[in-house]
Amino acid sequence: MALYERMLLIRRMEEKLSIDSAAGVLPGAVHLYIGQEAVATGVCMQLEAKDWITSTHRGHGHYLAKGGDPNSMMAEIWGKRTGICKGMGGSMHVADLSKGILGANGIVGAGLAIANGAAFGAQLRGDGRVVVCFFGDGASNQGVFMECLNVSTLWKLPILFVCEHNQFSEFTRAEQVTAGQIVDRARAFGIHTAVVDGNDVAAVWQATGEAIAVARSGAGPCFIEAQTYRIQGHMEFEKELLAGGKYRELEEIASWRARDPIERWARSLLGSGVASQGKLDEVEARVLRAVNDAVAFSHASAPADPELVFDLMFAGQTP
Amino acid sequence: MRKRYTQAINEALFEEMERDPNVILFGEDVELAIFGDTRGLYERFGANRIRNTPICEATLTGMAVGATSAGYHVVLHMMFSNFLYTGFDAIANQMAKLRLMTGGQLELPITILAGYGGGRSNAAQHSDSPHPLLMNLGGVNVAMPATPADAKGLLKTAIRGRNPTFFLEASGRGGDSGDVPEDDYTVPFGKAAVRREGRDVTLIAIGTMLKPTLAAAKRLEALGIDAEVIDPRTLVPLDEASILRSVRKTGHAIIVDEARDRCSAASHIAAIVADKAFSALKGPVKRVTVPDVAMPYAPNAEARVFPNEEGIANAALALLRPVAA
């Protein structure tokens, strides 16, 4: 049930963002995670509070899955001073260090090396912490991916690489830009790897549990390729940018909608008798309240403080 | 006591790593220390705190950012400053920006060492002086010590600080010798040093340019020109006040910088002087820099484009004795 509620929170928060983005009222672009919720949720529900994650430009799901506060996220996206980054980061950069969320990142692949460094720090501290690095099939084509597999394998870093293969590098299909199977790149280093159905939250949860145990034991890095699908575009509003051009067919999107991870998990919960429809409705109501609260919190908050720009660049030093 | 530049850096690293167990250092070939600056650290502090890495600069700069999350002050040795370019995403997009972008949640106590500069036939890919690029990033400090004493004191300030700092060291063969205090001292950022007092012209010498600039000042003295020599020591933060005070006194400014001329530290300082000391100026602000070319290999070709004592002296003569020059 916890998996269901977390996935649903991510979905409903982003549906609201999609509406607001379409209405043109959000300050910046949003890159939505709709369709991939099972990956962030299945992985993060295996983590301890002390564990760290690094995220991507499509980071709302990771942030919420790791326990980030919905109010602070919504306010951040709206550019408010109550935002988790005081309105200085925005949608692509939600971070909450107190929750182990080291940050989403606008540079594809940048989180890989940051996660590697965090894992090195965790290893030196010896505090049993594990770092999860979320990245996409697009980032797997960056050179740092191979570099980080090399360093983390050599140094036996406590890191889990989670490649969310959502079939697209921005507006380009994976088969056009990604050679071979991504998991094979990790297998070349002789580390623990797994390929999972990224739309099956139980499968993700199971595979993560096994991988985290390996990483936490000191045996070194692990790699999971989660095969999923980005239901929304690379970014909201993209139709206007593409000017009628398209990179996928509606039938393809529909076929993946039929494998929606949240509905699938609901059916499973109902089928196994773990939850009744009434229970699921209660979760839905609770989630909607949380989304409405986040929106209300954001709207009631003052805009970011522009003068903070000068305080935040350096610690104790003017820019 | 007189020590070599590299030895002063080595001492600062030893002393700061002794002082603070949260200081770690990694980079390519740091165990053997081809520059000599990390020599002996591995034997003293071991493989956890001193670590040789693969050659993967893009990952190393990113790892420096990540490792600070665990409360470490990371000293990253990038060997030659040209290799910063390979690791530039995590420099320009991450360490220079993440403090602001996370609303101040992330602190990035990182010191990056890199050897810079030409003059030794290292050819263009091992001879750059990339400080202007770094100055333009906004969120990183840039220290360019010219003397062994400053090298030690500025490096200690960097390692005790809470912000990303580029510590650019003069490349090559141990560097010059100079007096280094015996006590535990630091040199603050943003405080220029007046290396020579004078009345007639202000020569602002950046990093390794101090040596030829002081020589030029001596040459000018013989010609009856009394030059003041200012060493900014750090470019971010920059001690504008000391520069402006000197220019207001002398009425002339020449900036000597080993960077290529276009958008150099020299042009930045020239703009500040023109903006804030305009009424004190008795002539144009001049720059002695490297032309906008790649550093050539052949010693005579390198000498053709590298700032030297004669060029600096001639720039001053052209300003102060226009007819004679």
Side-chain angles (χ1 to χ4, degrees), chain A residues 95 97 105 125 147 315 317, chain B residues 22 59 70 94 99 105 141 163:
Chain A
L97 266 64
N105 210 300
R125 287 276 175 236
E147 296 180 5
Q317 183 184 324
Chain B
N22 288 316
T59 288
Q94 314 301 333
R99 191 168 195 281
Q105 293 181 72
N141 286 323
N163 294 304

Side-chain angles (χ1 to χ4, degrees), chain A residues 8 37 67 93 98 130 132 137 147 172 181 185 196 210 304:
Chain A
L8 198 64
E37 295 90 343
H93 306 286
S98 71
V130 167
V132 172
D137 48 309
E147 296 180 5
T172 302
Q181 296 298 307
R185 302 177 188 183
V196 293
E210 291 162 12

